[in-house]
Amino acid sequence: MKKYAFVGAGNRGTYMYAVPMSRDYADTAEIVGVFDTNAKRAALLQARIGGHVPVYEDYAVMLELAKPDVVIVTSIDSTHHTYIVAALHAGCDVITEKPLTIDEDKCELILEAERRTGKRVTVTFNLRYMPFMGQLKEMAGKVGAITHVHFEWFLDTKHGADYFRRWHRQKRNSGGLIVHKSTHHFDIVNWVMEDEPAEVQAFGSTRFYGPTRQERGVRCSGCQYASSCEFHIDIREGNYRLLYSDCEDVDQYYRDACVFADEIDIEDTVSLTARYAGGAMMSYSLTAYAPYEGFRMVITGTAGRLEAEYTESDFGGEGKGMGSGEGECKEEGKGEGKGTGKRIRLFGRQGLVVDVPLADESGGHGGGDERLLRALLIGGDDDGGRQATSRDGALSCAIGFAANRSIREGRPVRIAELIKL
């Protein structure tokens, strides 16, 4: 049995990892410590998994006294490198939420610590474990040599807006959506193509959120526009209250900050082109204010074309789809009440058209969360190289790092300028 310690006691750490680990994997995984900069939130995680796991006020003390085999990092993105490096030097392996980190300097610190210590960092790309993505990768092998990928990802104004309320809204915390969110998407392209990115040209702007309207406040609580603003949320009830409202007095972190604030400096609209080492190209776009949510991907190769679509909508129907739960603070990250449209279609060069029968899926993130956790804890469901290494994490992040620099400097940026692998 391995011993696990937690850094970060928010929604993801609690419901993706701690609760199911204590409930379903008690015979293979022992939780030996919890640390969070907010002691109230750490105590709440402790209570939700039975109350017997010690809460530590100091991370270094936890590493020394709890002696975990593995540290699970689910803290704010900008702190990942600090906790990962310390855990590696303490002799622990690390499981970290995506993204690996937010910029190239922090990335190099992690990679160097891993090289020096010989310990291992695993990055949790749950999209790799979605049955839909597994089928997409399998069918991509039928288009011949991949020459181009067109990838469009769109967040609706329920999920998308939430990144502009939370700590993600400043690049110093998250690297922007092009790192925090898109690292998932870049990893899927890298994984499907089995290739590495070489160069990126990007454009980005904030067109919908940020200081784009006059009727705005500091936060939703107490806002004079609460009755008329479509983005108003109430964090005084349910899980929001327990995790955030009740914990504000410790760190003054407000979970309901105004999505139109001046301090927002992340983009809500991004477009980029990437060139891969093998010569293939990717065009990618992300918008965070669509009327419905999902993605479309087209993979073109020398022998055909693969078209994939995965959308979810509140306009009708039932299903759970990719509901992340990140913005909705739902237990175990499960979406609800959304109609899901899914299709994978293969077009051959000789007129062949195949609609791929899709596998059943259930659970958070299109069935990816549960499969990922099982693979991490007991080693199953790892066929096809799904478990992501620090190198995979670095390469997916590097596209975001390069995009941020390209947006700032107005030029193409080579991956080799940023990280050495």
Side-chain angles (χ1 to χ4, degrees), residues 152-414:
E152 176 192 12
W153 198 285
F154 33 97
L155 301 169
D156 63 22
T157 49
K158 187 173 185 180
H159 185 187
D162 219 46
Y163 292 108
F164 296 82
R165 293 188 184 98
R166 299 182 286 167
W167 53 264
H168 309 73
R169 64 207 242 135
Q170 292 184 290
K171 282 202 175 184
R172 67 183 186 184
N173 295 327
S174 67
L177 289 180
I178 198 64
V179 173
H180 173 81
K181 187 68 179 173
S182 299
T183 185
H184 262 321
H185 314 151
F186 302 146
D187 175 70
I188 285 295
V189 175
N190 296 350
W191 181 59
V192 167
M193 292 207 301
E194 298 179 1
D195 201 354
E196 299 184 356
E199 188 173 19
V200 174
Q201 172 81 65
F203 301 91
S205 61
T206 308
R207 306 292 301 277
F208 189 84
Y209 304 107
T212 58
R213 66 166 62 174
Q214 292 183 338
E215 294 183 349
R216 54 198 175 106
V218 175
R219 56 182 301 191
C220 292
S221 299
C223 181
Q224 62 179 312
Y225 304 110
S227 61
S228 60
C229 180
E230 67 273 32
F231 295 101
H232 177 266
I233 63 169
D234 188 346
I235 64 168
R236 296 170 299 177
E237 298 179 356
N239 213 28
Y240 278 131
R241 178 181 62 80
L242 295 172
L243 272 173
Y244 303 110
S245 182
D246 288 354
C247 298
E248 287 179 0
D249 60 312
V250 177
D251 54 12
Q252 289 73 56
Y253 171 57
Y254 303 127
R255 179 60 178 73
D256 61 345
C258 181
V259 301
F260 302 108
D262 289 329
E263 72 174 18
I264 293 171
D265 64 0
I266 66 172
E267 296 85 7
D268 57 26
T269 310
V270 176
S271 179
L272 66 79
T273 300
R275 178 178 59 82
Y276 278 74
M281 293 174 284
M282 172 182 67
S283 59
Y284 171 85
S285 66
L286 173 72
T287 52
Y289 46 90
Y292 62 99
E293 184 149 325
F295 72 87
R296 295 185 179 91
M297 181 187 293
V298 177
I299 301 173
T300 303
T302 55
R305 171 184 173 98
L306 189 69
E307 297 181 357
E309 179 177 78
Y310 197 118
T311 60
E312 54 183 30
S313 171
D314 286 321
F315 299 141
E318 297 179 354
K320 291 188 176 179
M322 290 185 296
S324 71
E326 293 175 306
E328 300 169 38
C329 207
K330 295 185 182 301
E331 292 194 3
E332 300 180 45
K334 295 179 181 178
E336 62 177 27
K338 292 191 175 185
T340 305
K342 301 179 291 184
R343 185 176 73 174
I344 299 176
R345 177 174 283 186
L346 176 67
F347 296 83
R349 293 185 60 81
Q350 306 304 319
L352 174 69
V353 181
V354 176
D355 281 299
V356 180
L358 299 180
D360 292 333
E361 58 186 42
S362 61
H365 288 98
D369 282 350
E370 290 79 358
R371 290 170 174 83
L372 167 63
L373 187 59
R374 186 164 62 249
L376 290 171
L377 299 181
I378 64 176
D381 276 353
D382 195 28
D383 57 308
R386 283 180 169 83
Q387 199 162 109
T389 65
S390 61
R391 183 184 183 91
D392 298 323
L395 285 169
S396 65
C397 281
I399 300 178
F401 303 160
N404 275 332
R405 182 173 291 192
S406 178
I407 292 168
R408 287 195 308 269
E409 300 180 4
R411 66 175 180 90
V413 176
R414 296 177 64 247

